[in-house]
Amino acid sequence: MRIRQWNRAGIWTCMMLMALMTPGVATAAQAVEDTIAPDVSVAKKAVHKPFMIKVVDAETGRGIPLVELRTTNNILYYTDSAGVVAFDEPGLMDQNVFFHLSSDGYDYPVDMFGYRGQAVQITPGGSITIEMNRTNIAERLYRMTGQGIYRDSVLLGQHTPIQEPLVNGLVMGQDSVQVIKYQDKLYWFWGDTDRPAYPLGNFRVTGATSDLPQNGGLDPDIGVNLSYFTKEDGFVKSLVPPLPDGAGIAWVFGLMTAEDQNGQERLLAGYSTHNPEPTAYGILAFNDQTKEFEQVVQFPSIEDWRHPGGQATYYEENGQGYWLFTEHRVPNLRVAASYEAIIDYTQYEAFTCLMPGTTYNGAQTSLERDGNGNLVWGWKKNTPPLSQNQEKELIQLGLIQADDPHYYQLTDADTGEWVEIASSSIEWNDYRQRYVMIGQQVLGSTSVLGEIWYAEAPTPQGPWVHAKKIITHDNYTFYNVAQHKYFSKDGGRVIYFEGTYTNTYTDHIPTPRYNYNQVMYKLDLSNPKLGLEPVQGTGSR
């Protein structure tokens, strides 16, 4: 039976082949095929308009960057700096699609099965706005650097506030920002910078300028238009040429301005070189013609504590101007704000209670006390700074007593637990009439280096007593935070700061586009969640 069926099928097939080989029949068959093929092709290539999902802060209505949306089959999307996702997934258009919603510092209500998310009816060209509740006190505004800052907004044909919403200077990622006002502009510098063309990028400092908000720059609520220093190929140029130590990596920190011996304002920076371990410290000066840094001096030893770094701030005390640095995590290093002092490492002073000329030595540490037995904290040359951990240990040993001044023993304003600082940025705040610290914590409850705190003190060196957590990250890093005093609004009531968002020091997978880039935040100091008391009196400035 099976053989007969095959024979019949074979005969029929042969007859069809013979017929198709007949010229007229073949032409007709080809004509039919030609009429069908375009329809099939069009069906396969059908393009839908993307569906817009916008996620906003329930309190402010502003789009939230860095929100993860995950489908039930684990397709991941991340909102751009407008809080927007352009959804155009083949097979899921004209469907009801559930999205799990998550973002550090933001929350979405849980349903009866424990899921945080929402089902969305996807229609080509349609849109939906979803609200999330902010649990952070500080508000995330936008990504400053990297590719695709407003990628999804561009795909949707939406207006974007910055001039280069997709890629600027061919920058894919940038580490650790430094910013200073110089020649009526803001000068921005970063460390290692990634590019599209190869996994290794620029390791000798990149930079850009932007206009101040009062001089035509964007409102800091909206963004910053960065004009990068670039090479002919469009990628950012290296701003530190080879130095005598021969190291391959160079970083700049602690930006300063001072008049040189000719009365000309110069932009100066502390530098470090690495290979990859530290090889040298010193001072560089920015050349306004070549748009590069030049070496002024290399300091004698990489073991010496007297070198500027971290974030720098200018302040005055008893009529003398100083540059203050957070090179040693907290603000305990300074130098007189003169060109001659900055380039002379012997002129740097540490804030410490050590006996002048001594060093920290655990239980054998020598502390300076006056004739009445009072502990003498002060700015001292030739004496290293006292770190937060060293001060804590001296308190535990009883060398610093309970009634002695404590300068760096920050505690959580809510729980009283100690807050160890990894890096910080200090600025005077007119609204609070205090110096404000934005500090990054070591070994926080949700991440190793991702929790950010607010604190204030009457003088730039402290005493720093109570802190309030304003940002948290779950197993993600947010380091080297920098305050932007030139962006402050309403007399300092609203302040802005940014940091490097990276999975470094975690086991978290990198967040696409956002990882190893700068993210801007905004903090309203009148927010009752900060729990700040009215301020009486002022500090030095």
Side-chain angles (χ1 to χ4, degrees):
M1 179 67 73
R2 291 178 181 174
I3 294 176
R4 289 185 186 137
Q5 288 177 341
W6 184 87
N7 285 339
R8 291 174 183 173
I11 294 170
W12 176 252
T13 300
C14 290
M15 293 175 61
M16 289 298 297
L17 286 172
M18 291 175 63
L20 288 173
M21 292 174 66
T22 305
V25 175
T27 304
Q30 184 65 48
V32 171
E33 181 180 341
D34 288 344
T35 59
I36 295 174
D39 292 338
V40 174
S41 176
V42 169
K44 289 182 178 179
K45 296 180 180 179
V47 176
H48 298 288
K49 291 183 179 180
F51 181 84
M52 183 174 76
I53 305 171
K54 185 166 188 178
V55 186
V56 301
D57 186 318
E59 180 181 345
T60 67
R62 181 190 179 97
I64 307 170
L66 196 49
V67 177
E68 179 185 283
L69 291 84
R70 177 169 56 89
T71 65
T72 58
N73 64 338
N74 296 308
I75 305 173
L76 298 179
Y77 300 87
Y78 295 89
T79 57
D80 68 7
S81 282
V84 166
V85 162
F87 185 83
D88 188 13
E89 184 63 31
L92 294 182
M93 304 304 286
D94 293 308
Q95 299 290 334
N96 203 34
V97 179
F98 184 90
F99 293 94
H100 299 271
L101 294 164
S102 63
S103 185
D104 291 334
Y106 293 82
D107 191 22
Y108 193 81
V110 63
D111 68 15
M112 62 184 295
F113 295 107
Y115 298 121
R116 298 182 185 275
Q118 181 172 331
V120 177
Q121 181 61 43
I122 303 296
T123 56
S127 66
I128 190 174
T129 298
I130 301 173
E131 292 185 346
M132 293 187 77
N133 299 313
R134 177 158 40 96
T135 55
N136 279 343
I137 298 177
E139 181 181 6
R140 190 182 306 132
L141 294 182
Y142 44 80
R143 179 156 55 94
M144 280 284 295
T145 60
Q147 180 269 333
I149 294 176
Y150 286 96
R151 169 191 179 273
D152 292 80
S153 296
V154 170
L155 289 174
L156 289 160
Q158 300 288 303
H159 168 75
T160 60
I162 58 175
Q163 293 173 354
E164 301 290 346
L166 297 179
V167 64
N168 191 1
L170 295 181
V171 169
M172 299 290 272
Q174 286 190 296
D175 187 18
S176 298
V177 72
Q178 295 278 315
V179 189
I180 194 169
K181 180 183 175 183
Y182 177 62
Q183 295 184 343
D184 291 325
K185 283 185 174 290
L186 292 181
Y187 276 67
W188 306 72
F189 300 99
W190 298 269
D192 304 340
T193 300
D194 294 337
R195 59 177 172 171
Y198 195 72
L200 299 178
N202 175 25
F203 298 96
R204 301 191 67 84
V205 183
T206 57
T209 63
S210 71
D211 292 325
L212 291 156
Q214 63 269 29
N215 292 341
L218 294 177
D219 183 323
D221 272 2
I222 296 174
V224 179
N225 280 320
L226 296 171
S227 297
Y228 280 102
F229 303 120
T230 59
K231 301 182 295 183
E232 291 183 359
D233 64 2
F235 183 51
V236 290
K237 67 182 290 189
S238 298
L239 300 187
V240 179
L243 297 174
D245 62 81
I249 300 171
W251 299 334
V252 296
F253 293 102
L255 300 180
M256 303 160 276
T257 55
E259 290 186 355
D260 63 15
Q261 58 271 23
N262 300 317
Q264 178 184 353
E265 183 188 38
R266 301 299 303 275
L267 170 54
L268 304 172
Y271 80 85
S272 63
T273 52
H274 306 259
N275 220 14
E277 297 302 317
T279 57
Y281 293 107
I283 301 296
L284 303 176
F286 192 72
N287 185 314
D288 297 329
Q289 281 68 51
T290 64
K291 306 302 182 186
E292 293 180 348
F293 283 101
E294 300 172 338
Q295 186 182 52
V296 178
V297 62
Q298 178 179 319
F299 288 165
S301 171
I302 62 172
E303 304 299 331
D304 199 291
W305 54 270
R306 290 170 290 187
H307 54 85
Q311 298 292 334
T313 188
Y314 176 83
Y315 82 105
E316 294 181 358
E317 185 177 295
N318 300 323
Q320 170 68 55
Y322 293 94
W323 286 102
L324 177 79
F325 310 100
T326 58
E327 169 69 357
H328 304 290
R329 300 192 179 189
V330 291
N332 55 10
L333 178 70
R334 75 176 187 181
V335 69
S338 72
Y339 189 89
E340 294 74 16
I342 290 169
I343 66 175
D344 181 358
Y345 81 102
T346 68
Q347 298 305 304
Y348 287 77
E349 301 175 305
F351 190 73
T352 180
C353 59
L354 296 177
M355 183 68 71
T358 68
T359 61
Y360 176 81
N361 191 25
Q364 282 69 53
T365 300
S366 297
L367 302 182
E368 183 179 5
R369 294 188 178 273
D370 62 19
N372 296 320
N374 298 314
L375 189 63
V376 179
W377 282 87
W379 292 101
K380 305 172 186 180
K381 294 181 180 178
N382 302 316
T383 308
L386 198 65
S387 73
Q388 188 185 26
N389 282 302
Q390 289 170 343
E391 182 190 27
K392 181 181 181 182
E393 184 172 344
L394 292 175
I395 293 170
Q396 292 172 339
L397 290 169
L399 295 180
I400 295 180
Q401 299 167 9
D403 57 352
D404 285 329
H406 301 168
Y407 270 83
Y408 303 115
Q409 299 311 294
L410 269 176
T411 59
D412 185 329
D414 296 322
T415 67
E417 294 182 358
W418 191 57
V419 179
E420 182 181 355
I421 295 298
S423 69
S424 60
S425 177
I426 315 298
E427 295 291 353
W428 171 259
N429 186 273
D430 281 333
Y431 177 77
R432 291 295 300 164
Q433 289 292 292
R434 287 289 186 269
Y435 287 90
V436 163
M437 171 192 286
I438 303 296
Q440 173 202 6
Q441 185 183 13
V442 179
L443 299 175
S445 59
T446 65
S447 60
V448 175
L449 289 169
E451 295 179 74
I452 307 301
W453 296 74
Y454 173 93
E456 53 186 39
T459 69
Q461 66 269 20
W464 302 97
V465 180
H466 300 298
K468 185 78 172 182
K469 188 188 296 187
I470 55 175
I471 294 176
T472 188
H473 290 91
D474 185 7
N475 193 29
Y476 225 89
T477 294
F478 193 68
Y479 63 42
N480 290 342
V481 288
Q483 287 192 66
H484 297 314
K485 65 179 180 181
Y486 308 105
F487 289 167
S488 295
K489 291 183 178 180
D490 196 13
R493 180 182 64 82
V494 178
I495 63 174
Y496 299 80
F497 60 92
E498 67 177 277
T500 306
Y501 176 82
T502 174
N503 70 329
T504 306
Y505 309 116
T506 77
D507 59 2
H508 202 292
I509 61 171
T511 305
R513 299 185 182 87
Y514 282 90
N515 193 65
Y516 205 58
N517 272 300
Q518 306 300 305
V519 177
M520 183 75 78
Y521 278 84
K522 168 184 178 179
L523 181 64
D524 185 343
L525 301 188
S526 67
N527 190 329
K529 293 179 181 178
L530 281 172
L532 301 177
E533 298 293 333
V535 173
Q536 300 295 326
T538 62
S540 58
R541 298 186 60 180

